[in-house]
Amino acid sequence: MSARVGIVTFPGTLDDQDAARAVRLVGAEAVPLWHADHDLKGVDAVFLPGGFSYGDYLRCGAISRFAPLMRELVPAARQGLPVLGTCNGFQILCEAHLLPGALTRNASLHYVCRDQRLKVETTATPWTNAFAAGQEIVLPIKHGEGRYVASADTLAALEANGQVVVRYLGNPNGSLNDIAGIRNEAGNVVGLMPHPEHAVEDLVGAPSTDGLGFFTSILKKLVDA
Amino acid sequence: MARVIVDVMLKPEILDPQGQAIARALPRLGFSGVAAVRQGKRFEVELEGPADEAALEEVRKMAETLLANTVIEDYTVRVDQ
């Protein structure tokens, strides 16, 4: 078995070190991936962390989408490579059309930074199999552009196919259908606005260690494979 | 040298909280008679050559690929006179 999880760093990425630490905490290997390389280094899964890649210029994730590394990642994800994007990572996955819809300015126009109650809606992804369906968890959120929007048809399809992965309990940003995270049709690509990588250790004052489930999920998926 | 203008606007059905905030601010500043405001982006693309149909088609491709996210935004392309 191998459980090598690539962590992508773009210019302006903030959460790559926390993500790498969370990957190591559950016993997997964290492999740094650089935005300017055409090289996925043979990793078994990829984590796209949050931050402000390319300064959020134009639109969040709009420029990152064309980074050399993304030219490798997009076809690999379409072939089934497990990919998780959080916050800016979620925005990048939407801009890259690996996930449907888009993330727009919070309805309140305020940046929100708080502990957020969430409900795990589906465990049928490589990133959420360690949870129970319907489980309530608490993770930090911190974003100004987290309002999930999609066409009525896309929303209906997401709901019908069980592609809503995480839902807000108390909507912080005006996301349609309280959507905090979704998956692609195949299930291998997941994006969410909350930050599991910031909620893996009691020591740092995180609201919970509920984020660990995302990392134990991918480890289990890779070890069982 | 020709200049091509690309206007990018959120689709009508997408909430524009920034435009709404501007619309709410206008009466406070003494401007009346405004029913609604939508905020968008304007790109000025300077071409090396003339703005012929081939060049405009290229600018449309730029808009489709990078300048607009067509999931949530519409764009228009026109030559600056």
Side-chain angles (χ1 to χ4, degrees):
Chain A
M1 63 139 278
S2 89
R4 300 173 71 244
V5 180
I7 316 280
V8 184
T9 301
F10 297 92
T13 296
L14 296 179
D15 302 329
D16 45 346
Q17 296 305 313
D18 277 27
R21 184 172 170 78
V23 164
R24 288 194 298 268
L25 261 180
V26 299
E29 183 187 345
V31 180
L33 299 178
W34 183 239
H35 71 103
D37 292 342
H38 276 281
D39 188 3
L40 291 174
K41 298 187 181 168
V43 294
D44 305 300
V46 169
F47 190 109
L48 282 172
F52 298 86
S53 59
Y54 296 93
D56 277 352
Y57 293 166
L58 188 58
R59 295 178 306 275
C60 307
I63 298 173
S64 318
R65 171 195 168 192
F66 297 105
L69 187 90
M70 289 300 291
R71 290 177 195 272
E72 308 302 315
L73 182 59
V74 171
R78 292 199 194 285
Q79 301 276 313
L81 183 76
V83 178
L84 177 68
T86 64
C87 200
N88 191 214
F90 185 13
Q91 295 163 339
I92 295 167
L93 290 173
C94 286
E95 281 282 343
H97 305 312
L98 285 172
L99 292 174
L103 293 145
T104 59
R105 186 67 69 98
N106 294 347
S108 66
L109 290 177
H110 290 287
Y111 191 95
V112 289
C113 182
R114 72 183 201 199
D115 300 335
Q116 176 67 46
R117 285 174 59 236
L118 302 157
K119 186 168 150 200
V120 179
E121 293 281 12
T122 177
T123 60
T125 83
W127 301 96
T128 55
N129 61 56
F131 293 102
Q135 187 176 341
E136 286 191 20
I137 61 174
V138 178
L139 294 176
I141 56 169
K142 45 165 195 169
H143 59 250
E145 280 99 354
R147 178 174 189 267
Y148 183 76
V149 297
S151 69
D153 289 349
T154 301
L155 276 179
L158 287 174
E159 297 287 357
N161 300 337
Q163 287 177 249
V164 177
V165 176
V166 198
R167 227 183 280 270
Y168 297 115
L169 296 170
N171 193 330
N173 54 27
S175 284
L176 299 182
N177 294 24
D178 298 331
I179 287 172
I182 56 170
R183 65 171 176 84
N184 63 351
E185 268 184 62
N188 62 301
V189 179
V190 174
L192 67 158
M193 288 312 295
H195 289 270
E197 76 283 5
H198 293 334
V200 295
E201 285 174 297
D202 288 322
L203 185 63
V204 293
S208 70
T209 54
D210 291 341
L212 272 178
F214 290 84
F215 299 94
T216 54
S217 290
I218 189 63
L219 182 67
K220 180 169 183 298
K221 165 76 179 172
L222 296 177
V223 170
D224 288 351
Chain B
M1 219 169 57
R3 174 184 288 171
V4 179
I5 308 292
V6 182
D7 287 312
V8 176
M9 295 296 295
L10 282 171
K11 288 179 190 282
E13 68 271 24
I14 302 287
L15 178 75
D16 175 18
Q18 295 181 103
Q20 289 177 347
I22 294 163
R24 283 196 303 271
L26 289 173
R28 290 202 298 271
L29 299 173
F31 297 102
S32 59
V34 176
V37 176
R38 303 279 291 173
Q39 178 177 319
K41 294 188 190 112
R42 167 183 162 125
F43 300 86
E44 298 181 348
V45 182
E46 304 278 349
L47 300 178
E48 290 173 348
D52 52 21
E53 188 44 41
L56 285 177
E57 190 51 37
E58 199 66 7
V59 174
R60 280 185 210 109
K61 266 189 225 160
M62 290 175 207
E64 191 81 25
T65 309
L66 179 65
L67 304 183
N69 176 354
T70 54
V71 174
I72 50 168
E73 294 168 328
D74 294 324
Y75 65 86
T76 57
V77 173
R78 63 193 158 90
V79 181
D80 192 24
Q81 300 300 341

